[in-house]
């Protein structure tokens, strides 16, 4: 873990910042694939047991085919391979083979029989030609599977940009424009993935429809609030996908993107599909239409609640008493979430205990139309909290109470930057005043990265190998500097 410019060594703020980072890291560690797979999967004789209700008869399994995509998928596949080799290995254990599309920087080299294919660079969440090529390899694997094979799909957040197979008539440039423009317009992940699943041969149950194995099991680390299976990574293994062409058009209209020139061909394609003027592959339940789809199990291994719970355990170990707040639905604009965070921090400052607030969620940021800056939703949230607290008279209004706020993505990424998020303390505000630097211009142009680069406070962890959303920590402590 790296962080930029901590407060002076003898300050209360330094201790609070270090504690907040420690608590955040505990949440991230709890949703690492190593932890989740060890807790959820074991072998019992001839049975591979997954979670509570899913069992695979290994004696009747010809091969285990491992495929997947996402920020945690390489680590999931690597951990599964190690368990199979070191703890479950017997002469009759089925052979493994597979292909995983992964972002750069996850630190997982290929293991025997499983190819880890780098499908996008660090700091970008747009589909690429490399993702397109890797997805075709995945589709080839599942579509040539045998009925006695079992396909294990390692799915995690970030999978939508890594599983790329456009519908006929849709180009990679179209998919890139959708991802970029919907995000810039403040669209949430449900809106984005509803649209993306309609434009894809692999999303919206497409991977399951291509599968010829007798069974498909998706092991899912969820980055979507409420864990809707059809939205996580755009639901590649969910046959009863709720997305519709009409819904996709409505979402674009609500985001004021229906007339955007870069989306003209996408909108025309969706309208034609809605009117039945082109075939809907989602109506076919097998690659050739000659048989039923495989038996499918979709299993959530971990989510933001697990990260929040673990962060709470660590807070107690450090001597704090906490409040928890985990979103179940899209949170909306980052400034609304900043208001919620400020209210929580005021409560911490005015009473003790509690002296710790832990929150999980995922807000949206609407980028300005002209010359947006550099940053991500976590950095933007920390900056919005700083601006609101300074307006409310912090730190003078609570002279004997130190406050720290931190927001970081559990994936170690925050927008197109090298930071996971940012933290603020009274020293951040003092530096801002000393340099006559107002946060408002940075907020207005969504340029939080350059603010924190100048003032200090960036969290630079690198890719963590997991992804369940954003984790926010606020701490309070009475005492002199």
């Amino acid at each position: 873990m790296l962080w930029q410019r901590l407060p002076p060594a003898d300050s209360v703020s330094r201790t609070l910042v270090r504690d907040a980072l420690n608590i955040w890291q505990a949440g991230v560690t709890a949703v690492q694939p190593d932890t989740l797979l060890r807790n959820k999967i074991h072998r019992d004789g001839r049975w591979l047991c997954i979670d509570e209700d899913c069992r695979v008869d290994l004696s009747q399994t010809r091969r285990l085919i491992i495929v997947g995509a996402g920020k945690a998928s390489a680590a999931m596949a690597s951990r599964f391979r190690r368990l199979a080799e070191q703890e479950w290995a017997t002469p009759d254990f089925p052979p493994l083979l597979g292909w995983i599309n992964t972002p750069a920087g996850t630190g997982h080299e290929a293991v025997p029989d499983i190819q880890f294919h780098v499908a996008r660079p660090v700091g970008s969440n747009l589909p690429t030609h490399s993702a397109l090529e890797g997805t075709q390899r995945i589709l080839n694997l599942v579509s040539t599977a045998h009925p006695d094979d079992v396909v294990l799909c390692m799915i995690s957040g970030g999978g939508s940009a890594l599983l790329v197979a456009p519908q006929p008539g849709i180009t990679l440039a179209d998919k890139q424009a959708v991802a970029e423009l919907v995000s810039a317009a403040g669209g949430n992940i449900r809106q984005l993935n509803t649209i993306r699943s309609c434009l894809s041969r692999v999303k919206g149950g497409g991977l399951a429809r291509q599968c010829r194995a007798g069974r498909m099991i998706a092991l899912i680390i969820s980055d979507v609030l409420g864990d809707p299976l059809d939205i996580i990574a755009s639901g590649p293994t969910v046959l009863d996908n709720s997305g519709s062409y009409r819904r996709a058009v409505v979402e674009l209209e609500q985001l004021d993107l229906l007339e955007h020139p870069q989306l003209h061909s996408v909108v025309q394609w969706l309208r034609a599909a809605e009117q039945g003027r082109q075939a809907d592959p989602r109506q076919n339940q097998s690659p050739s239409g000659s048989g039923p789809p495989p038996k499918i199990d979709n299993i959530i291994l971990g989510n933001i609640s697990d990260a929040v719970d673990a962060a709470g355990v660590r807070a107690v170990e450090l001597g704090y008493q906490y409040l928890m707040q985990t979103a179940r639905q899209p949170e909306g604009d980052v400034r609304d979430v900043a208001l919620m965070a400020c209210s929580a921090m005021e409560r911490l400052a005015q009473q003790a205990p509690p002296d710790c607030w832990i929150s999980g969620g995922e807000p949206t940021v609407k980028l300005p139309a002209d010359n947006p800056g550099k940053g991500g939703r976590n950095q933007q949230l920390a900056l919005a909290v700083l601006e609101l607290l300074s307006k409310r008279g912090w730190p003078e209004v609570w002279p004997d109470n130190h406050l720290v706020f931190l927001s970081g993505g559990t994936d170690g990424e925050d927008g197109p930057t090298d930071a996971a998020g940012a933290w603020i303390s009274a020293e951040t505000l003092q530096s801002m005043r000393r340099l006559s630097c107002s946060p408002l211009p940075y907020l207005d142009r969504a340029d939080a990265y350059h603010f924190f680069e100048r003032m200090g406070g960036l969290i630079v962890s690198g890719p963590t190998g997991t992804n369940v959303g954003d984790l926010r920590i606020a701490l309070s402590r009475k005492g002199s500097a």
Side-chain angles (χ1 to χ4, degrees):
M1 169 73 66
L2 303 175
W3 49 84
Q4 183 193 51
R5 234 181 295 169
L6 280 172
D10 59 350
S11 72
V12 175
S13 287
R14 181 188 179 102
T15 299
L16 290 179
V17 171
R18 287 190 178 277
D19 285 352
L21 287 163
N22 195 327
I23 293 166
W24 179 81
Q25 185 64 58
V28 173
T29 300
V31 290
Q32 288 292 325
D34 273 10
T35 304
L36 295 173
L37 265 70
R38 177 168 289 281
N39 290 340
K40 298 279 187 172
I41 303 177
H42 69 278
R43 183 176 180 180
D44 182 7
R46 77 174 197 262
W47 298 100
L48 183 66
C49 305
I50 305 172
D51 206 12
E52 296 179 357
D53 303 318
C54 181
R55 287 158 61 90
V56 175
D57 188 346
L58 297 173
S59 68
Q60 301 299 313
T61 301
R62 177 172 175 263
R63 296 179 301 176
L64 289 173
I65 300 174
I66 299 176
V67 298
K71 297 176 182 179
S73 297
M76 294 166 74
S78 179
R79 181 59 179 170
F80 187 91
R81 180 67 176 77
R82 288 200 305 275
L83 288 170
E85 183 179 46
Q86 298 172 8
E87 299 187 23
W88 306 334
T90 58
D92 61 343
F93 194 87
L96 304 180
L97 73 158
W99 186 285
I100 301 290
N101 278 5
T102 183
T106 56
H108 292 277
E109 297 181 358
V111 296
D113 310 315
I114 303 173
Q115 176 68 44
F116 293 156
H117 175 69
V118 176
R120 72 157 175 84
V122 174
S124 169
N125 206 27
L126 296 180
T128 66
H129 285 286
S130 184
L132 194 68
E133 294 166 1
T135 301
Q136 191 56 53
R137 295 293 295 267
I138 289 171
L139 290 172
N140 290 344
L141 267 178
V142 302
S143 64
T144 57
H146 187 273
D148 290 336
D149 292 333
V150 174
V151 173
L152 296 174
C153 299
M154 309 298 185
I155 302 296
S156 69
S160 290
L162 295 164
L163 283 175
V164 185
Q167 295 267 31
I170 296 295
T171 67
L172 179 61
D174 290 331
K175 300 292 292 289
Q176 291 170 336
V178 166
E180 197 163 27
L181 293 170
V182 169
S183 297
N188 62 50
I189 192 63
R190 293 175 186 247
Q191 292 173 303
L192 177 57
N193 285 359
T194 293
I195 299 165
R196 289 199 285 203
S197 66
C198 292
L199 305 174
S200 174
R201 293 182 292 111
V202 68
K203 298 175 175 66
L207 184 63
R209 280 187 295 274
Q210 291 291 318
C211 185
R212 303 305 299 268
R215 190 162 186 193
M216 172 177 276
I217 302 170
L219 306 178
I220 302 167
I221 297 179
S222 170
D223 69 329
V224 184
L225 303 175
D227 304 334
L229 292 172
D230 60 332
I231 300 298
I232 303 165
S234 300
T237 60
V238 182
L239 287 174
D240 55 342
N241 197 286
S242 61
S244 71
Y245 297 121
R246 177 59 188 159
R247 184 70 245 169
V249 171
V250 169
E251 298 292 6
L252 288 170
E253 185 175 25
Q254 290 179 346
L255 294 167
D256 200 26
L257 291 173
L258 213 52
E259 304 300 326
H260 197 288
Q262 286 183 258
L263 297 182
H264 176 75
S265 60
V266 168
V267 173
Q268 293 297 105
W269 191 95
L270 287 170
R271 283 176 166 159
E274 180 189 356
Q275 295 164 12
R277 288 188 275 120
Q278 52 197 19
D280 185 350
R282 295 177 299 179
Q283 300 304 313
N284 298 323
Q285 295 301 297
S286 69
S288 63
S290 60
K295 181 181 185 300
I296 299 172
D297 296 275
N298 289 295
I299 300 170
I300 301 290
L301 296 181
N303 58 21
I304 189 62
S305 294
D306 296 309
V308 169
D309 288 345
V313 170
R314 186 61 179 139
V316 171
E317 291 172 350
L318 292 172
Y320 295 95
Q321 296 186 41
Y322 63 85
L323 295 171
M324 280 186 178
Q325 196 166 354
T326 304
R328 302 292 181 185
Q329 298 292 331
E331 291 188 294
D333 188 77
V334 69
R335 297 206 190 202
D336 295 330
V337 179
L339 285 169
M340 176 185 70
C342 283
S343 296
M345 293 177 72
E346 285 183 336
R347 179 176 177 182
L348 298 185
Q350 292 167 3
Q351 64 184 66
D355 49 10
C356 171
W357 178 74
I358 303 171
S359 168
E362 188 173 295
T364 58
V365 177
K366 185 173 182 178
L367 298 180
D370 298 322
N371 300 317
K374 182 178 180 180
R377 60 179 180 263
N378 288 283
Q379 296 160 65
Q380 189 81 349
L381 176 58
L383 187 56
V385 169
L386 176 66
E387 194 265 338
L388 285 172
L389 286 175
S390 65
K391 278 186 176 179
R392 298 181 186 188
W394 179 59
E396 290 80 9
V397 69
W398 303 302
D400 298 323
N401 202 306
H402 296 268
L403 293 172
V404 159
F405 175 79
L406 174 156
S407 183
T410 55
D411 56 358
E413 296 184 358
D414 190 34
T417 76
D418 61 357
W423 53 263
I424 62 169
S425 68
E427 281 83 358
T428 314
L429 190 139
Q430 290 163 5
S431 296
M432 181 184 83
R433 291 174 177 173
R434 185 175 65 253
L435 297 172
S436 300
C437 179
S438 170
L440 277 174
Y442 292 89
L443 279 172
D444 290 342
R445 62 176 181 266
D447 197 26
Y449 182 89
H450 288 126
F451 176 90
F452 287 110
E453 187 178 46
R454 184 180 179 190
M455 300 297 145
L458 291 174
I459 305 168
V460 184
S461 64
T464 63
T466 192
N467 184 24
V468 296
D470 301 337
L471 189 58
R472 291 86 64 126
I473 317 294
L475 298 177
S476 172
R477 180 169 295 174
K478 292 187 181 297
S480 61

